[in-house]
Amino acid sequence: MGLGLSIAHDGFAKRLAEEHTLESRVAIEAFLREVETRAFRIALMNVRDRDEALDIVQDSMIRLVRSYSRRPSEEWRPLFYRILQNRIRDVQRRRSVRSRVLSFFGGIEGEEYDPLVTAPGPAADNPLDRVLAHDAMQALEQALSILPARQREAFTMRNFEGLDVAQTALAMNCTEGSVKTHYSRAVHRLRELLREHGEEHWHERATD
Amino acid sequence: MNERRTESERLSEFERGAKQAFDASVRELDAATRQRLVQARERALANAGGARFGLKWSWSLAPGGALAVAALVALLLVALHQRPTQLGPGQFAGDLEILLGQEDLAMLDEDIEFYSWLEDQPELAPAGTNGDGVG
């Protein structure tokens, strides 16, 4: 009798665990679906290579699912963006090492990576407003590429991704005060940079 | 005072414009890229219980990039024996490690350092609230 109860209890516990796993899987899949395109766009903006950007997003997803899926779901977003930013930095570091190694052979000395050369172009059949929005984003991306990395990260997470200050601090592994400073400097510097290139025109295109 | 408010309004307008430009660029993503992202998500979920340092699909290494890296390393080793180099032995070893590494260096200490920090943090503010009103 005792043995029967124990087996029944084990079966019930196993079913509960399975249901919980399924529930978690559904929840994390929904989260990944929600962030994947935005994360890809952010990665692409930083590394300017579609395949590498896809790798970064995929690795970040794997890392989140493996290591943090049991954490409360409200922590997933800052965790995911922290992982994403780490992966972006790794790719950039690898790229600079690769370029150093290649320059060792004397082949590409002086050749510098030009983001404009590899920037994705608009699809030919895009309507005018898409082209205008694309131009605005391209101007913003160029301005962003000039910012220090921490300012760029703060702006990306706060503005593009809508993380609040606490979440951004979590994602950037710094204090909330630092987030506010980085973000504020980023906004002012971006405005200056875009004003130099005609902010009014930029703004019209961005909000069209 | 009026000028300050105007400046603040301009900043908000700029922030809104930036967000809209980014959102539009996300909407513009083509179907092929979206499909590849779906595949990436499926792989991530399928890999959930996989080995921590197991092999995984790589878009950027798919066309034979791994072979290219191996060839590059071989060339480097040969070249190091044939000509003097400005790279110190430590830097060379570090470069090789980065070139060959499948795992990210930044990730190695992430779990320990990050989680000890995370545990010390107060509860996160509810999504959508901005603690400081910036942005």
Side-chain angles (χ1 to χ4, degrees):
Chain A
M1 184 69 177
L3 182 64
L5 268 178
S6 168
I7 290 171
H9 178 266
D10 285 352
F12 180 67
K14 197 178 166 193
R15 205 169 61 242
L16 259 185
E18 281 170 1
E19 279 170 13
H20 179 259
T21 309
L22 183 67
E23 212 174 281
S24 304
R25 191 194 150 95
V26 169
I28 205 155
E29 185 171 10
F31 168 76
L32 295 177
R33 189 182 301 125
E34 186 193 327
V35 294
E36 64 197 14
T37 47
R38 307 176 71 76
F40 171 77
R41 195 63 189 79
I42 288 169
L44 182 61
M45 201 186 307
N46 281 276
V47 300
R48 300 284 182 172
D49 180 290
R50 282 179 181 268
D51 288 341
E52 279 193 314
L54 277 164
D55 278 347
I56 288 171
V57 174
Q58 178 174 277
D59 287 353
S60 304
M61 287 172 164
I62 290 173
R63 175 76 53 172
L64 183 84
V65 173
R66 273 191 199 164
S67 306
Y68 303 118
S69 57
R70 288 177 186 278
R71 302 291 303 183
S73 57
E74 61 270 22
E75 288 179 11
W76 289 345
R77 192 174 296 270
L79 285 168
F80 179 75
Y81 280 100
R82 179 185 166 96
I83 297 167
L84 188 83
Q85 293 294 345
N86 277 343
R87 290 292 297 118
I88 288 170
R89 271 197 295 274
D90 285 335
V91 166
Q92 288 169 335
R93 189 166 42 191
R94 270 203 193 114
R95 189 178 280 171
S96 81
V97 167
R98 211 174 294 149
S99 132
R100 189 162 67 230
V101 168
L102 288 175
S103 74
F104 164 75
F105 291 105
I108 59 159
E109 220 155 11
E111 277 182 28
E112 286 194 356
Y113 171 67
D114 180 0
L116 289 180
V117 171
T118 48
D125 58 348
N126 272 350
L128 182 62
D129 58 344
R130 284 194 188 176
V131 173
L132 292 175
H134 182 273
D135 287 351
M137 190 58 201
Q138 210 166 39
L140 182 59
E141 281 186 53
Q142 281 174 16
L144 269 169
S145 71
I146 295 169
L147 296 188
R150 296 297 270 174
Q151 287 183 26
R152 188 167 55 242
E153 287 173 18
F155 188 83
T156 301
M157 286 189 253
R158 291 279 288 119
N159 185 286
F160 293 166
E161 209 34 55
L163 267 63
D164 63 34
V165 174
Q167 289 174 319
T168 308
L170 191 59
M172 288 179 66
N173 193 17
C174 64
T175 63
E176 293 185 18
S178 297
V179 169
K180 290 177 196 174
T181 306
H182 288 313
Y183 181 76
S184 169
R185 286 183 183 160
V187 170
H188 283 90
R189 184 76 183 113
L190 285 172
R191 270 195 74 206
E192 274 172 27
L193 288 165
L194 290 165
R195 193 184 291 141
E196 283 168 16
H197 295 91
E199 187 198 342
E200 286 73 22
H201 185 44
W202 175 83
H203 188 260
E204 275 167 26
R205 287 182 295 178
T207 53
D208 267 345
Chain B
M1 186 69 182
N2 251 351
E3 212 168 287
R4 273 179 72 91
R5 205 188 56 207
T6 306
E7 177 62 11
S8 154
E9 281 171 2
R10 279 183 188 161
L11 278 176
S12 303
E13 206 172 307
F14 170 77
E15 289 171 275
R16 267 199 307 277
K19 176 89 169 75
Q20 283 172 8
F22 176 74
D23 289 346
S25 78
V26 171
R27 284 194 299 272
E28 268 180 48
L29 283 180
D30 56 278
T33 303
R34 287 176 187 277
Q35 183 54 38
R36 289 169 81 182
L37 283 167
V38 170
Q39 290 168 3
R41 188 201 326 140
E42 283 166 357
R43 278 195 201 100
L45 290 165
N47 264 293
R52 188 175 170 81
F53 295 98
L55 289 174
K56 57 181 181 285
W57 174 265
S58 165
W59 297 103
S60 55
L61 291 181
L67 265 183
V69 170
L72 178 63
V73 171
L75 266 174
L76 260 177
L77 291 171
V78 170
L80 265 181
H81 285 286
Q82 288 180 349
R83 57 180 272 195
T85 172
Q86 291 174 333
L87 293 176
Q91 190 179 15
F92 177 72
D95 285 358
L96 273 186
E97 193 184 342
I98 289 175
L99 279 178
L100 293 173
Q102 286 296 308
E103 279 295 312
D104 336 310
L105 304 180
M107 293 297 179
L108 295 178
D109 58 357
E110 179 188 306
D111 296 343
I112 302 163
E113 186 196 327
F114 182 37
Y115 256 98
S116 66
W117 183 84
L118 183 66
E119 292 300 336
D120 294 333
Q121 298 308 303
E123 284 289 305
L124 287 175
T129 59
N130 290 343
D132 64 345
V134 179

